[in-house]
Amino acid sequence: MIIAGRIAADHPLVGGHKGPVLDIAFCPHNDNVIASGSEDCVVKVWHIPDHGLVKTLTEPIVDLLYHQRRVGLVLWHPTALNVLLTAGSDNQVVIWNVGTGEALVHIDCHPDIIYSACFNWDGSQLLTTCKDKKIRIINPRTGVIESDAVCHEGSKATRAIFLRHGLVFTTGFSKMSERQYSLRTPDMLSEPIVMVELDTSNGVMFPLYDADTNLIYLCGKGDSVIRYFEITPEPPFVHYINTFQTPDPQRGIGMMPKRGCDVSICEISRFYRLTNSGLCQVITMTVPRKSELFQEDLYPDTIGDSSACTAEEWMEGKDVDPILISLKDGYKPPEAKISISVNRRRNVLDKGSGKSSKEAAKPQPEVSDKTLQDFADEIRKLKAMIVKHENRIRALEAEVALSKSNVDEDGPGGDGLNAVPPMASDEV
C-alpha cells in the first residue's frame, strides 16, 4: 500500500526502540523485513504486514543484543539468507544469523568508529572505512584483514563501496577539507587509479551504486544536487554524466532496488529524498526513448529477491553470485512460500506466516485493502471523537470549578453582587 502526500499525525509507526534510530536496512530477500539500529544499543528486526501497518508496531521479530554502545550501521548480506552485519560505536562488527538470533562472527580489528561497510558481489569479502582514515578488506567469516591502506587524508567521514567487478570506489576529504572520490583495485588499495577533487563543501558524500548500468550517484548530506558518473574499463574510468539540481537541501536519501522501477517509462533509478522540511521527495531517473518496446540495454538481468544460499551454507564457505531475474515483463512478487519445517531452530524470517507447518497449512482468511482502509478510517474518526469529547469535558469541568468558586465567594461573608435573586411569589 503506497501513501502519497502528508500522512496523518496519528499514522501508525514502527516504534519499539528506546532511543533515536540511527540506521535502517530493508532485507534484500524479503521486502516485508527491515532491521534497525539505535542509540539504545539494540538491533531489532521487524516484519511489516503486506497491507501496511494498522497500528503502531512495538514488538519486533527478534532483538539482537551484543553492542555496548549505540549501533549506527546495519547491513544485510547480498546472497545469504538471514545474515545481517551490525557495527556500533564500541568499534565492534558483528555478523548475525537473524533466523536463529545467533552471533556468527565477531570482528574486532577497528581501533575507532566504523563509518561504512559493504559486501562485494558474492558476499565473500567485506569492505570497511574507519575513523583512523584507513580502508580495510576483511574476510567476513574469520575477521582477518586481507589488505588495508589510508583511504583519504582528511579527518572527516569516508565511505567506500565494492563495484560489481571487484573495484573499490571511495569518497572522502583531502587535508584541505576538499571533497574527493577515488577508484582503486583491491590488491593495490594504497595506489588509487583515479583521485578527483570535487568541491569544498562540508557534507559527507554517500555513493549509491547501480550494478546494472555501472552508474554511481553521489549524494552529499546538506547538498541540493545529485551527481552521477559512469564507471568504464577504459581511461579515465570515471566519466561525469550530469547533475540533478533541486532547491531544497537533503538530510538523507535512499535508493529503490531496480526491480521496483517502472520499465514502461525507461526508469533506471528511483530515489527517496528526505528534505529539511521533513518531506520525502521521490526522484526518478529516466532515459528518454521513443520506442515503447522493452529496452534490453537499459535492463539487463538484475538482482532478484531470492537468496542464493542459507546462513549455514555461507558460514561453511559457500560463495555464490546473487540470483538474477529479468524485468522484461515487469517485476512480479513471488507467491507465498511454503513454510519450512526446521527441527533444530525455527526460521523467524520465513516469508510464510512464521508459524509451524501445520498452522501454515490452514487456510488463512484474506482481508482486502479496502477493508483495512475502512478500519483505519474508522479508528481515525473514533480517535478524533475521543479528543473532541475530552476537550468538551475539560471545558465543562472548568466551568463547574469556576461557578463553585463564585458560590464560595458569595457565601455569608460575600458582597452579594453575584448572589442569586429571590424567586417571585404568587402570594399577595
Side-chain angles (χ1 to χ4, degrees):
M1 181 173 61
I2 299 176
I3 298 177
R6 289 184 180 271
I7 61 175
D10 58 347
H11 190 77
L13 308 171
V14 179
H17 283 287
K18 297 180 180 178
V21 176
L22 302 179
D23 194 19
I24 63 171
F26 278 85
C27 178
H29 309 126
N30 190 337
D31 292 336
N32 295 78
V33 174
I34 60 174
S36 59
S38 169
E39 285 190 359
D40 61 8
C41 308
V42 181
V43 178
K44 295 179 181 287
V45 180
W46 311 87
H47 185 276
I48 310 301
D50 287 335
H51 302 289
L53 297 175
V54 294
K55 65 177 182 178
T56 296
L57 185 62
T58 58
E59 292 296 327
I61 298 175
V62 64
D63 289 331
L64 305 179
L65 304 173
Y66 179 88
H67 295 282
Q68 301 299 315
R69 300 184 65 184
R70 64 180 188 172
V71 182
L73 178 63
V74 291
L75 176 68
W76 292 95
H77 194 278
T79 61
L81 181 65
N82 298 343
V83 175
L84 178 70
L85 178 146
T86 64
S89 296
D90 52 3
N91 310 336
Q92 308 296 311
V93 176
V94 182
I95 296 179
W96 304 83
N97 182 351
V98 179
T100 60
E102 294 178 307
L104 300 177
V105 183
H106 168 226
I107 301 174
D108 185 12
C109 63
H110 298 87
D112 216 323
I113 297 175
I114 298 100
Y115 283 140
S116 70
C118 179
F119 287 101
N120 64 346
W121 180 248
D122 62 1
S124 60
Q125 290 181 319
L126 176 65
L127 179 69
T128 64
T129 58
C130 182
K131 194 175 181 181
D132 66 352
K133 304 180 184 180
K134 282 192 174 183
I135 181 174
R136 294 173 173 86
I137 295 179
I138 304 170
N139 185 328
R141 297 184 180 93
T142 62
V144 175
I145 299 176
E146 297 181 353
S147 61
D148 63 352
V150 173
C151 186
H152 294 271
E153 296 181 349
S155 58
K156 295 181 181 179
T158 58
R159 296 290 186 274
I161 57 173
F162 264 121
L163 304 186
R164 180 168 183 170
H165 301 294
L167 296 179
V168 173
F169 187 90
T170 70
T171 61
F173 293 82
S174 67
K175 284 185 178 180
M176 306 301 293
S177 294
E178 296 172 323
R179 294 201 295 188
Q180 299 175 323
Y181 67 80
S182 72
L183 188 67
R184 308 164 189 252
T185 57
D187 53 349
M188 294 291 288
L189 287 178
S190 59
E191 298 182 7
I193 303 173
V194 175
M195 177 72 78
V196 177
E197 294 181 353
L198 208 56
D199 54 30
T200 57
S201 178
N202 295 324
V204 177
M205 287 192 298
F206 297 90
L208 301 176
Y209 177 55
D210 181 1
D212 299 334
T213 58
N214 277 326
L215 289 178
I216 290 182
Y217 301 86
L218 293 186
C219 315
K221 187 174 182 180
D223 288 355
S224 57
V225 299
I226 299 175
R227 301 178 178 91
Y228 41 105
F229 303 80
E230 183 180 6
I231 308 297
T232 60
E234 65 274 356
F237 303 107
V238 182
H239 301 265
Y240 170 75
I241 302 297
N242 207 341
T243 298
F244 175 81
Q245 182 83 36
T246 58
D248 300 324
Q250 57 208 14
R251 296 172 56 188
I253 194 166
M255 187 176 181
M256 169 75 76
K258 183 61 68 68
R259 51 193 168 85
C261 295
D262 188 354
V263 299
S264 64
I265 60 172
C266 297
E267 179 187 21
I268 60 170
S269 295
R270 185 186 304 172
F271 299 96
Y272 293 87
R273 182 173 173 272
L274 187 64
T275 64
N276 286 334
S277 59
L279 299 179
C280 184
Q281 179 186 11
V282 181
I283 299 173
T284 61
M285 300 286 184
T286 60
V287 178
R289 294 285 175 89
K290 292 183 179 179
S291 174
E292 296 182 356
L293 300 176
F294 178 74
Q295 306 296 314
E296 295 184 359
D297 59 327
L298 297 182
Y299 301 102
D301 289 352
T302 189
I303 298 176
D305 61 351
S306 299
S307 60
C309 64
T310 64
E312 291 78 13
E313 291 173 340
W314 179 76
M315 278 302 296
E316 292 172 358
K318 184 177 181 180
D319 292 325
V320 289
D321 289 343
I323 297 176
L324 305 182
I325 61 173
S326 173
L327 297 179
K328 186 172 184 179
D329 298 324
Y331 170 69
K332 297 178 181 178
E335 298 179 359
K337 295 185 177 180
I338 301 174
S339 180
I340 302 173
S341 177
V342 180
N343 295 327
R344 185 166 57 90
R345 296 182 186 91
R346 182 171 60 87
N347 187 345
V348 297
L349 288 191
D350 184 25
K351 284 194 178 181
S353 61
K355 300 179 181 179
S356 65
S357 57
K358 292 183 179 180
E359 292 177 343
K362 296 180 180 179
Q364 300 293 331
E366 295 184 358
V367 182
S368 64
D369 292 345
K370 184 177 183 304
T371 303
L372 290 173
Q373 188 62 40
D374 291 342
F375 275 123
D377 294 341
E378 190 67 25
I379 292 172
R380 190 173 293 108
K381 291 177 182 178
L382 290 174
K383 288 183 178 179
M385 188 180 300
I386 291 172
V387 171
K388 182 178 179 180
H389 285 314
E390 286 179 348
N391 294 335
R392 183 170 175 270
I393 291 171
R394 289 195 193 98
L396 291 174
E397 288 176 345
E399 291 179 3
V400 170
L402 180 62
S403 61
K404 184 177 180 181
S405 63
N406 290 338
V407 170
D408 292 341
E409 291 176 359
D410 295 338
D415 57 6
L417 293 177
N418 294 324
V420 180
M423 295 294 293
S425 176
D426 294 334
E427 294 182 359
V428 177

